[in-house]
Amino acid sequence: MRQLCRRACLLFLTGLLFCGAPAQAAEKPKVRAITAFVRLEPANYKAQIAQTLVVLRRAKAAFEKAGYEVQTLRITPQPFSVIAKEMPREQVLAFYAEYEALAKKEGFLSAIGPVLFRDEDDSRLTDLYAEILAQHPGLDGSIIVAAEDGVHWSAVRAAARIMKYLEERTPHSQGNFGFAAAAMVEPYTPFYPASYHLGRGQQFAVAVQGASVVDEAFRSSRGDFDKARRSFEKEMTVHALAIADVSKRIAEATGWTFMGVDCSTAPLKDVSIGAAIEKLTGAPFGSSGTLSATALITGVLRELHVDRVGYNGVMLPVLEDERLAQRWSEGRLTLDALLAYSAVCGTGLDTVPLPGDITEAQLARIIGDVASLAHKLRKPLTARLMPVAGKKAGDRTEFSDPFLTNAVIQPLPRD
């Protein structure tokens, strides 16, 4: 009976979506990304991209018809390490230069996948990888620092070297916005920069900007965690079912495989997960109760009865969320606190501004902590750290990216 009721509810929601009526009165969350996974043939990749964009744009139209604004279209090819090992250096550089130019022209984002998967992989590729990321800010990248076989300590050190390279060789040290050390991140996550796949291609996944749903649910639940959970579960279930249903219709129409939805509560500047959590706790983000609220949200996301992929947790990107940036600048939010929240959230240490004189060894220790926690808890976490050349504790960042909020750099913990 329960399955029959759930099916009837889904059919009702589907009918509303495709008749143009809203799924509910509250504002719908935005679709952060529709991410396509493709296996490019370097000799024929432009035609493959054109075919992929036909599918992505058709998907975008379907979501917009259902009332869900789509922010970005994304294409994740096979990993850099797979493509690069088959080409000489100059050919690799030329290929990714042309690829980024095509992405800009056609209006899609791309993550070029991890440079290392295992410690025994050819580490000579990391220097070339860092060079490409520095030269082509439209391309995102990552490195696998932990997987089921444990923490990859050589990759941890390589990630620190890449971060220092991007700090020193990109305007305002902004290159690290598109690079992450990824721990226990599975293939087919639609969120960047740690997105990758190892499959045959012609697959897609959907990422949700879910912070607005948390804000709506917590607005009238001040201090009442049980009420907040029920409200958020109800709101998020409606949208998760609706988004998954639209995705399945897209798959049926195109022949592509739908891999799942990542319903993580991603924020974007004034669409703030920090402000939403403060509405529940009644205290500044970073105070007692923050971890409990974070765990509440992640618990709901992990129990959604839809095809899930990716993180499905609370995202706390310091510089992508105006309230988090404010609390960081005030010193209320620290590296240790963020690492503690990572035990019950989705992404780890994300867009954290750091002094420019931080050493590779210090960065490696921070990355190693994230990797160790991810492996211990068997959950995906990333370290997207943003050291800023020439800046010290007390200085304010000067990033120019429209998706970043500037903040005051805090001192590192003493060694």
Side-chain angles (χ1 to χ4, degrees):
M1 178 62 72
R2 180 177 299 174
Q3 290 295 324
L4 186 60
C5 291
R6 181 173 175 273
R7 177 62 179 164
C9 177
L10 179 56
L11 289 173
F12 175 70
L13 287 170
T14 303
L16 286 178
L17 287 170
F18 285 89
C19 289
Q24 60 180 43
E27 181 182 353
K28 296 181 180 181
K30 293 179 175 62
V31 171
R32 172 66 64 86
I34 308 171
T35 303
F37 302 93
V38 299
R39 192 166 189 87
L40 296 179
E41 301 168 4
N44 189 43
Y45 80 93
K46 291 182 180 179
Q48 291 177 289
I49 294 295
Q51 294 166 0
T52 301
L53 288 171
V54 170
V55 173
L56 286 174
R57 288 164 181 161
R58 185 172 180 178
K60 181 175 185 287
F63 277 109
E64 289 174 345
K65 182 179 179 181
Y68 289 92
E69 178 185 332
V70 177
Q71 294 179 319
T72 64
L73 302 179
R74 304 182 179 187
I75 297 177
T76 300
Q78 70 267 40
F80 170 87
S81 56
V82 175
I83 292 179
K85 70 179 181 181
E86 300 172 355
M87 299 181 190
R89 170 188 167 82
E90 294 307 316
Q91 190 175 347
V92 173
L93 290 169
F95 173 77
Y96 282 106
E98 292 179 1
Y99 183 64
E100 186 199 34
L102 181 62
K104 289 180 179 178
K105 177 183 175 182
E106 296 295 341
F108 67 89
L109 304 179
S110 187
I112 60 174
V115 61
L116 297 177
F117 282 93
R118 298 167 295 274
D119 267 356
E120 60 267 26
D121 288 348
D122 187 354
S123 61
R124 291 174 297 180
L125 287 176
T126 57
D127 290 342
L128 178 59
Y129 191 67
E131 183 178 345
I132 288 170
L133 292 180
Q135 291 179 359
H136 305 296
L139 303 178
D140 284 7
S142 61
I143 186 168
I144 303 296
V145 295
E148 289 296 333
D149 59 347
V151 176
H152 301 172
W153 291 107
S154 292
V156 168
R157 292 187 292 272
R161 288 197 302 275
I162 291 173
M163 288 176 184
K164 288 299 289 185
Y165 185 97
L166 295 174
E167 173 199 340
E168 295 164 358
R169 291 171 174 81
T170 59
H172 307 291
S173 302
Q174 204 163 278
N176 277 304
F177 186 34
F179 174 72
M184 304 299 291
V185 176
E186 295 291 333
Y188 303 110
T189 177
F191 278 104
Y192 280 9
S195 178
Y196 74 98
H197 80 101
L198 300 169
R200 57 178 176 77
Q202 288 200 319
Q203 298 140 312
F204 73 97
V206 179
V208 180
Q209 183 178 296
S212 60
V213 184
V214 180
D215 189 84
E216 181 71 25
F218 286 5
R219 186 173 298 159
S220 60
S221 304
R222 299 178 185 275
D224 189 334
F225 277 65
D226 287 332
K227 181 180 179 181
R229 181 183 178 86
R230 290 192 301 269
S231 179
F232 177 56
E233 183 177 26
K234 178 182 177 181
E235 300 289 330
M236 200 69 229
T237 298
V238 168
H239 294 297
L241 289 172
I243 289 169
D245 189 65
V246 174
S247 299
K248 290 174 183 177
R249 287 174 173 265
I250 293 165
E252 291 173 1
T254 63
W256 282 52
T257 302
F258 169 54
M259 303 305 294
V261 183
D262 190 334
C263 290
S264 294
T265 55
L268 187 60
K269 300 194 84 169
D270 63 337
V271 182
S272 169
I273 189 65
I277 287 175
E278 288 182 357
K279 289 176 182 176
L280 176 60
T281 63
F285 192 95
S287 303
S288 298
T290 300
L291 189 144
S292 296
T294 303
L296 181 158
I297 298 166
T298 298
V300 169
L301 296 177
R302 297 291 169 84
E303 295 173 5
L304 292 173
H305 296 293
V306 295
D307 293 324
R308 291 183 283 117
V309 69
Y311 300 96
N312 288 285
V314 183
M315 291 187 168
L316 302 174
V318 174
L319 297 181
E320 289 186 278
D321 183 306
E322 291 180 354
R323 186 61 57 85
L324 295 182
Q326 176 189 347
R327 298 310 184 207
W328 177 270
S329 295
E330 294 169 349
R332 293 179 180 273
L333 192 54
T334 65
L335 276 175
D336 287 343
L338 285 169
L339 198 60
Y341 304 147
S342 294
V344 294
C345 79
T347 51
L349 302 180
D350 201 5
T351 63
V352 178
L354 299 171
D357 62 356
I358 189 171
T359 66
E360 282 186 22
Q362 288 173 306
L363 282 169
R365 289 200 294 272
I366 296 170
I367 297 165
D369 283 349
V370 173
S372 297
L373 183 64
H375 185 259
K376 174 65 177 179
L377 299 179
R378 295 297 194 273
K379 62 175 297 182
L381 295 174
T382 57
R384 189 161 43 153
L385 308 176
M386 302 186 68
V388 186
K391 296 288 187 180
K392 60 184 184 302
D395 292 341
R396 192 171 184 84
T397 60
E398 296 178 340
F399 296 121
S400 59
D401 191 288
F403 297 108
L404 290 175
T405 297
N406 286 300
V408 175
I409 296 173
Q410 298 299 321
L412 293 170
R414 290 187 178 182
D415 288 337

